[in-house]
Amino acid sequence: DGAARPIPMTTLLMNLRHVPDDEADEVRALLAEHGIGFYETPPSRWGISMGGIWLRDDTEAARARHLLAEYQAERARRMRAAYEERRRQGTAETLADSVRRQPLRVLAYAAIVGLILYLLITPFFGLAG
């Protein structure tokens, strides 16, 4: 058979920006468990690209996306239940905990919000005068 076979295309399954290590590990294990070929690109040195999990064969994309959707729904339920348990026990992080842990970050965010509000509201004071 002299017919040329199409070359499988790679498909980005998951961008790893803001993805916790344990979640990325679980997704890798899920893909391996179901025999779906994948590879990973590392994040760039300067944070422009955060890396990703790619499928080697785009014909597996629909199955992989379905598995990923089921996994993420189950993970969301699990994380929500864990948070509710921490809240019941009084160990869930609150805003006050965040302020105590990172006061400068909270202050910087508050300053940025204040600046944005100032820039948005200032033109209306000019209309009144």
Side-chain angles (χ1 to χ4, degrees):
D1 180 343
R5 293 193 339 224
I7 298 171
M9 299 290 291
T10 59
T11 303
L12 177 64
L13 177 67
M14 183 177 200
N15 184 330
L16 293 177
R17 183 177 303 249
H18 306 300
V19 173
D21 290 339
D22 68 314
E23 182 176 0
D25 291 341
E26 289 174 357
V27 169
R28 289 181 201 102
L30 178 72
L31 294 173
E33 175 186 330
H34 287 87
I36 297 174
F38 69 95
Y39 66 95
E40 194 169 335
T41 54
S44 70
R45 183 170 293 173
W46 296 281
I48 294 170
S49 166
M50 295 306 292
I53 294 177
W54 297 77
L55 302 177
R56 293 191 183 280
D57 186 349
D58 62 344
T59 61
E60 296 277 17
R63 185 167 74 107
R65 281 193 170 76
H66 176 73
L67 289 169
L68 183 61
E70 286 179 344
Y71 160 76
Q72 288 178 329
E74 185 274 327
R75 181 178 170 88
R77 280 190 295 274
R78 198 173 65 220
M79 294 293 115
R80 198 171 301 117
Y83 170 75
E84 289 300 325
E85 182 60 30
R86 286 192 310 275
R87 208 178 89 198
R88 270 192 296 279
Q89 295 173 351
T91 59
E93 185 172 20
T94 64
L95 178 60
D97 295 332
S98 295
V99 171
R100 277 192 293 275
R101 193 170 39 85
Q102 297 179 319
L104 293 178
R105 176 180 271 185
V106 172
L107 185 61
Y109 286 156
I112 291 169
V113 168
L115 177 64
I116 291 170
L117 287 174
Y118 172 78
L119 293 173
L120 289 172
I121 294 172
T122 301
F124 293 105
F125 289 125
L127 294 175

